Amino acid sequence: MENTLLIVKPDAFKRKLVGNIINRLERAGFDVVDIKLVQLTQDLARKFYAVHADKPFIDELIEFMCSSPVIPIKLGKTNAVADLRTLIGATNPNEAACGTLRQEIALDVQQNSVHASDSPENAAIELAFFFG
Ligand code: IDP
Ligand code: MG
């Protein structure tokens, strides 16, 4: 059993897609291990996305992530980190494979509905950020 972090982002929260997303996760074999509702502050959002601090899209990304509550979910499954990345699809929904969550739900490259940890090391860091 491996743990990873998914976050339901504001575009999905505002469109009332929280239940839809959790349903997809459960159907794919993920266990919901922990879950909460968080209103990120600019400071917290910048800490979470520190790796992207130098990217041209960072300010808009921070605004977006603070524009409504988000739902961090601790998920458990064998091979959870890699399997969740496969389930959600590419960052840009126009490039995401058919049947992936982002291909079906995301609005654009920024408002792409969910975050998922990209490695076991980052999953541990990101889970501690919200559930530590
Ligand atoms: P990921 O969420 O698929 O891991 P990252 O490259 O880590 O993608 O980017 C983090 C988040 O930053 C993305 O999920 C998306 O919300 C936003 N983002 C990434 N690239 C762009 C871009 O080119 N324009 C606007 N926002 C972007
Ligand atoms: Mg990433």
Side-chain angles (χ1 to χ4, degrees), residues 50-72:
V51 65
H52 294 308
D54 297 335
K55 302 276 169 62
F57 57 79
I58 187 64
D59 287 346
E60 284 180 8
L61 176 61
I62 299 308
E63 283 297 322
F64 165 59
M65 290 300 291
C66 297
S67 67
S68 84
V70 296
I71 311 278

Side-chain angles (χ1 to χ4, degrees), residues 32-93:
V32 174
V33 178
D34 207 347
I35 182 166
K36 58 170 65 166
L37 183 148
V38 177
Q39 174 61 59
L40 288 172
T41 61
Q42 295 242 344
D43 275 2
L44 278 174
R46 281 187 193 280
K47 257 178 218 152
F48 184 78
Y49 276 125
V51 65
H52 294 308
D54 297 335
K55 302 276 169 62
F57 57 79
I58 187 64
D59 287 346
E60 284 180 8
L61 176 61
I62 299 308
E63 283 297 322
F64 165 59
M65 290 300 291
C66 297
S67 67
S68 84
V70 296
I71 311 278
I73 308 175
K74 179 176 182 175
L75 294 168
K77 184 183 178 296
T78 307
N79 205 34
V81 173
D83 284 0
L84 184 61
R85 291 294 301 201
T86 301
L87 182 77
I88 70 169
T91 306
N92 187 337

Side-chain angles (χ1 to χ4, degrees), residues 94-110:
N94 294 329
E95 294 161 12
C98 243
T100 60
L101 191 153
R102 281 168 165 169
Q103 187 259 326
E104 293 185 0
I105 291 178
L107 299 176
D108 55 42
V109 68
Q110 178 196 68

